Amino acid sequence: MKAIVDCNSFYCSCEKVFKPHLEGKPVVVLSNNDGCVISRTDEAKRLGVGMAGPYFKAKEIIESNNIAVFSSNYNLYGDMSMREMGTLKDLVGENNVEVYSVDEAFLNLDGFNGNFFNSAMDIRRTVEQWTGIAVSVGVAPTKTLAKMANHIAKKNKTVTQCVTVLDSREKITEALKKTKVRDLWGVGSQFATKLSSYGITTAWDLYNLSEEWVRRYLGGVVGVRLLKELHGEESILMDKELINKKMITTTRMFGNPVTELNDIKEALATYTARAAEKLRRQQSAASVINIFVVPKEENKNPTFRHGPMIGTHTILPSPTVLTNELIKPAMKMAERIYEPGRAYKKAGVILSGLVPDTSIQSNLFEPPSKSVGRFLMEMMDNINFSMRDDVVKFASTGIKRNWKMRQEFHSPRYTTRWEELYKVK
Amino acid sequence: MEDNFFYAANYKGSKDYTQWDVPTANATGFGAAADDYAERGIDLNEQLIKNKPSTFFMRVNSDAMIGAGIHNGDVVIVDRSLEAKNGKVIIAVLDGEMLIRRLELNDNKKRLLPATKKLSAIEINESNTFSVWGVVTYVIHSL
């Protein structure tokens, strides 16, 4: 049996741990730059706050209902996520936990023969007790069915007590009948539309199709895998933690539209430095650097769409881990793509063509300047990771930072900063 | 696996420690005798944090518990996984407000006791919303 543990309105829950007066009250958390609503409690949902909708559209509902609003506090959410995962690893053993996202984990419960409902309840209560974060648990023979169980658990929390276990043929059938295909794990809206054109609307409809038919009409292997999972045959296995990324991206919206080349260059240098830091942490070196900017659309489009992305890339003479070797081409490219008189709202850096750092570390013919550079990077990373807030940085990343994110409703970093601890009376 | 499927909470605080991390004198002459007794040093994280995922720090912002040696400005270590027994100093949530107090459990009466004459004990009624946020395990006081 597999389980999925999923936090209820995770970012809002993190905020509520240190603000108990918000229990049972509507709360929303905004994306970086306070652009969109990215997390909302059930209470906020009931008041009509949409998900991923722009903040300015929801502002009226939020203000007239006195909904508590927070800017995203990723330091806090990241720490709370580690606590959630740590609790789960303590409960079922490190090797039986697959961290699926910041607030979701699959648990491998193979070999456990007790009462699954009681155990799922234990897991739910323990996570809640230890971390203060409310979770929902779905348990079923496969990951896809566990996801479906979780969906049901979340839908009607008072009835399910946030736990749904599908451990018999009858329970699975009943659940399949009341689940829409578009709510299944791995079924995107396009796929759901395709299915409905064949008259397939519930998971039960999909379940009753033949394997040949699915292979022929529903995306071959992917469709068959989904069908098998619904039949309780495990086809999506537990993944080992994804350690090394194939691409490293750092991108942000600007607090206010930026028009000056200098500000763009500062922002891109900062993102490059951040990306290079991530690169070194996973002990990779990059062969290609790609930068892009997104200009603000000239005609005020009310549908809140981004303008087209303008980007370019540079292939580096040899793979590098050095921030300065990455910033240099980034700055040249910034000058090339910048158009005076245009306002930009977003920029980003992508490092790709990643190779293991060891391959260049052992290069006998590496010029000495490189090993000095590597030593400098290591010092810089150590200082920045222990002192935080980028104490040491490249001058090109700027001092004033006019382009910095807007975060008007940021709560303290209660769990990661000594100066920002919760004050108790 | 049986019903005791769940592991007990164990310390997950400090970094992995191996034999190679135990310091040695590295003396070039004699004096290596001490190396026979070399062991890892004291790690405060390990001593003070028994359960990492459930342990939080808080800054005390009142004199409510001064008689218990918890001063204004001190940092307290709070473990959410511990049971709040009678007499424990806890972080209580009373009507949406977090308070540091001593918990008194008597028959069916619950009280929150300050450790100062300046404040009075709070008796918890049916009309209050009350919960225990966590149990205070240590206080860090700067001299």
Side-chain angles (χ1 to χ4, degrees), chain A residues 261-274:
Chain A
L261 174 62
N262 247 341
D263 288 341
I264 299 248
K265 281 170 79 176
E266 265 183 33
L268 281 168
T270 305
Y271 304 158
T272 306
R274 175 71 64 225

Side-chain angles (χ1 to χ4, degrees), chain A residues 17-18 20-21 80 83 86-87 90-93 109 111-114 119 122-123 128-132 415 418 421-425, chain B residues 1-3 5-7 9-10 12 51-62 75 80-81 93 96-101 133:
Chain A
V17 170
F18 294 92
H21 64 277
M80 294 306 283
R83 290 167 184 273
T87 305
D90 269 359
L91 288 172
V92 302
L109 301 180
F112 171 64
N113 300 313
S119 311
D122 266 357
I123 291 171
E128 215 166 311
Q129 171 79 50
W130 288 17
T131 67
T415 57
W418 194 248
L421 295 177
Y422 183 84
K423 290 190 174 116
V424 64
K425 279 202 241 170
Chain B
M1 271 181 271
E2 318 266 312
D3 255 334
F5 177 69
F6 296 132
Y7 293 28
N10 54 346
K12 290 268 160 53
N51 191 359
K52 182 144 198 253
S54 66
T55 301
F56 295 82
F57 297 92
M58 284 189 185
R59 176 89 51 190
V60 177
N61 201 23
S62 82
V75 171
R80 288 183 56 102
S81 68
V93 181
E97 193 187 14
M98 299 228 250
L99 296 170
I100 180 165
R101 294 290 188 275
W133 198 93

